[in-house]
Structure formats: structure tokens, C-alpha cells
Amino acid sequence: MIYIKIILSLFYFILIFNKSKIDYSQKIPASDFSIDMVSIEGGDFIMGNYNDNVKTKISPFWISKYEITWEIFNLFMQHQKIENKEFKIADKIIYVDGVSKPTEPYTDMTFGMGFEGYPAVNITHYSATKFCKWLSLVTGNYYRLPTEAEWEYACRAGSSTKYYFGNDISKISEYAWHKNNSSKKYQKVGQKKPNQWGLYDMLGNVSEWVADSYKEDISKSTRKKTNPFIYDKGKYPKVYRGGSWLDDPKKMTSDKRYFSDKLLQRRDPQIPKSKWWNTDAPNIGFRIVRVEDLSKSSLRNKFWNN
């Protein structure tokens, strides 16, 4: 009997010790929805292209298997305002200044391209960060947008080629929705082949917001070679990655960087422009990551209030 207890204790210890290596599904309270999260082991990789690259070290994290869909984002839109109070997140008690829900968009932000099972788009970078904050408060796990380095590391999935499936562009339609095969609209998530780490639509379908502000020369800007994060409090430019249904396959490589500007809201009739919605970004969505380290409040607020 004592041996059985020892074995069970050892098994429990191994399970806890390796919990960061386990994929899981994050149930969203008071709903029938969940978000599938894939465990990514940390490691080193060469970030960027051959002419502008930097060796970067990444700590372990989880990332959503699919782009966040409209049904999931709609839960955030419908939530009751969260007031200032203490929350338990990642087993720590923190004080949070509350979260408002997005304002109602003045038009249908799907642009008639589809709702159920389709990626949420036309969302500002600010809106995506607030979604992550809301999700953290209601689940007790620390969620945020991936850093640019985390995103590229997950996208490459151990590869060093132009695309995560190699350099042969003729194969891209097996893995991605792009300008030549998308019928001029986004598609339901998860229909193409995943990358080697089981992540879908990392290239194509919709581009994805990352946490970072854009700096042109990333090899010089990324001075911190371990878990780099480039922050600037300005609204523009923010980085998005992966390419979309609007893009030429040649521009959808794993290292390709895109950045935002005010043209993403050029048709917004409101003064001032909406904090929550872009009127001209039907090609930009997002996915999320979870990390175990809650980080200092100053850094956490940069991720949640960016």
C-alpha cells in the first residue's frame, strides 16, 4: 500500500512539474464556449529574415490553437462591466481597475463575411488587449497578446525556412487562405493544415495583432534577447503578423512584419475615432497566449492597456 502511495505521489509531482507541457481547453465561465490552448516549450531561435535577424530566447507559454472567433469575442462584448476590486490571477491576488465592454459598432463589423466559427476582425489593438484582460479576470489565468517574438517562434514551429512548411510556395494553399484562394473573404478557422506544433492559420486567413509597437530595425530595437517586448504608449504603429486573405502569398512568410496606422479607421465617422473598432481592418484579428509568470504590475499594465 505504501508503494502505491509513493507511486501516486510521484505521478502527481511529475504532473504538476510538467503542467506547462500540457495542452488544455480554457472554459469561459457562464458560457458554452472554450478556447483550445497549445503548450509551447521554450527555446532559442533566429528571429527575422536573413538580412535582419537576431538570436532570441523564449520562455515556455501556451498559445490559442485558433484565431479568436466572433462567438468568443461576443462574450466580451456582452459582459457586465467589471468594477474595481481584487482578483486572484495565476494564484496571486491583484487589484484591478475594472474593465469596460466595447461600445456597439456603428455597422456590422463582419462585413457579411460570416460570424459563427469565423475570426473576429476590425478590432483595434486596444480592444484585443482589453479582451485579454477580461479573459484573465473571469478565468483566473493570465492571458495577453503574444509578443512579436513569441508569435514568430510559435509560427515557425522549429523551422528556419520562409514558411513553416518549407520554401516551396506552391504548397501554401494547403496551409493558408490568401488572395488567390479565399474568394475575397475570411474563412472559418482551422480548415487548412496546421503547422508542426498544431497551430492553425498562423499564416493567412486573418493577420494577427501582437503586443509590440513597431520598430523598423528589430535587430537593434530588440536589445533584450530573452523574451523581448517593444513597448510604446502611442496608438500607432502596432505590429500585426501572418498575412491574410487579402495578401499575396509571397508576402506571407514567417518573418514578414506589418504595422498599423490611422488608415485602419479612415471610414470611421465618429469624432474622436473609436477606441474599440477599426472600420478598415477586415483582415486583422488576433490570438492569445497564457504565461505562468504574472509579471510586475507595470509590465502587466503595458500588455493589458496598450
Side-chain angles (χ1 to χ4, degrees):
M1 187 69 179
I2 190 170
Y3 294 110
I4 295 176
K5 290 182 179 180
I6 292 173
I7 292 172
L8 289 174
S9 297
L10 181 61
F11 176 79
Y12 179 76
F13 174 80
I14 293 173
L15 185 64
I16 296 300
F17 183 78
N18 291 319
K19 67 178 179 178
S20 62
K21 299 181 181 180
I22 300 174
D23 299 349
Y24 70 98
S25 185
Q26 176 62 71
K27 177 74 169 62
I28 302 178
S31 82
D32 296 324
F33 295 99
S34 59
I35 302 173
D36 292 335
M37 302 296 295
V38 175
S39 173
I40 305 296
E41 293 187 10
D44 298 329
F45 80 113
I46 301 299
M47 184 176 177
N49 58 40
Y50 295 110
N51 299 318
D52 182 17
N53 60 67
V54 56
K55 187 174 181 179
T56 306
K57 184 177 181 62
I58 300 296
S59 297
F61 61 96
W62 291 270
I63 189 167
S64 54
K65 180 183 290 189
Y66 308 104
E67 294 155 337
I68 298 300
T69 60
W70 278 115
E71 304 101 303
I72 300 296
F73 191 79
N74 196 48
L75 297 175
F76 173 47
M77 291 176 60
Q78 294 177 344
H79 85 274
Q80 297 298 315
K81 180 179 178 180
I82 297 176
E83 302 293 344
N84 301 358
K85 64 177 183 178
E86 291 181 341
F87 287 85
K88 186 176 182 180
I89 299 177
D91 294 326
K92 294 182 180 179
I93 301 298
I94 64 170
Y95 183 81
V96 175
D97 58 358
V99 182
S100 298
K101 64 181 180 180
T103 57
E104 288 295 323
Y106 85 97
T107 189
D108 174 18
M109 288 299 177
T110 72
F111 289 178
M113 293 189 291
F115 181 85
E116 187 174 350
Y118 292 88
V121 296
N122 284 312
I123 294 162
T124 63
H125 188 271
Y126 173 85
S127 188
T129 64
K130 289 300 185 184
F131 171 89
C132 295
K133 184 176 183 180
W134 165 79
L135 185 64
S136 300
L137 300 186
V138 299
T139 64
N141 291 322
Y142 177 36
Y143 291 101
R144 56 171 172 77
L145 291 180
T147 64
E148 188 171 6
E150 288 168 340
W151 188 95
E152 186 173 326
Y153 180 70
C155 177
R156 287 187 178 279
S159 69
S160 58
T161 49
K162 287 184 177 180
Y163 309 97
Y164 48 69
F165 52 83
N167 289 317
D168 187 356
I169 195 173
S170 68
K171 294 182 178 180
I172 196 167
S173 290
E174 298 177 30
Y175 295 86
W177 296 106
H178 51 79
K179 180 180 179 180
N180 302 331
N181 72 349
S182 64
S183 301
K184 299 181 179 180
K185 63 185 289 292
Y186 60 51
Q187 303 292 325
K188 287 188 175 182
V189 301
Q191 296 189 84
K192 295 294 187 178
K193 292 181 180 179
N195 71 3
Q196 295 90 324
W197 289 351
L199 304 176
Y200 291 82
D201 302 311
M202 291 297 288
L203 298 179
N205 206 23
V206 296
S207 296
E208 299 169 12
W209 288 119
V210 295
D212 300 59
S213 298
Y214 178 82
K215 299 295 182 185
E216 183 175 0
D217 190 342
I218 194 169
S219 63
K220 293 181 179 178
S221 298
T222 312
R223 294 175 182 175
K224 183 182 178 184
K225 301 302 188 290
T226 300
N227 300 322
F229 170 46
I230 298 173
Y231 172 76
D232 186 292
K233 65 181 180 180
K235 183 176 181 179
Y236 304 116
K238 303 297 184 186
V239 181
Y240 54 98
R241 300 290 298 261
S244 76
W245 60 273
L246 278 172
D247 293 308
D248 188 298
K250 294 179 181 179
K251 298 181 179 180
M252 291 169 49
T253 56
S254 297
D255 64 279
K256 177 66 176 176
R257 309 172 69 217
Y258 303 82
F259 58 91
S260 63
D261 58 31
K262 63 182 180 181
L263 292 179
L264 295 182
Q265 292 186 310
R266 64 182 179 272
R267 289 183 292 178
D268 187 343
Q270 303 170 96
I271 301 175
K273 303 288 188 181
S274 174
K275 292 192 304 182
W276 301 97
W277 300 101
N278 288 320
T279 50
D280 299 271
N283 60 317
I284 306 176
F286 69 106
R287 74 179 71 217
I288 60 172
V289 302
R290 174 191 165 192
V291 294
E292 288 187 318
D293 182 8
L294 189 56
S295 73
K296 295 180 180 179
S297 60
S298 58
L299 179 59
R300 187 170 64 245
N301 286 333
K302 288 178 180 178
F303 281 114
W304 280 352
N305 301 296
N306 200 339

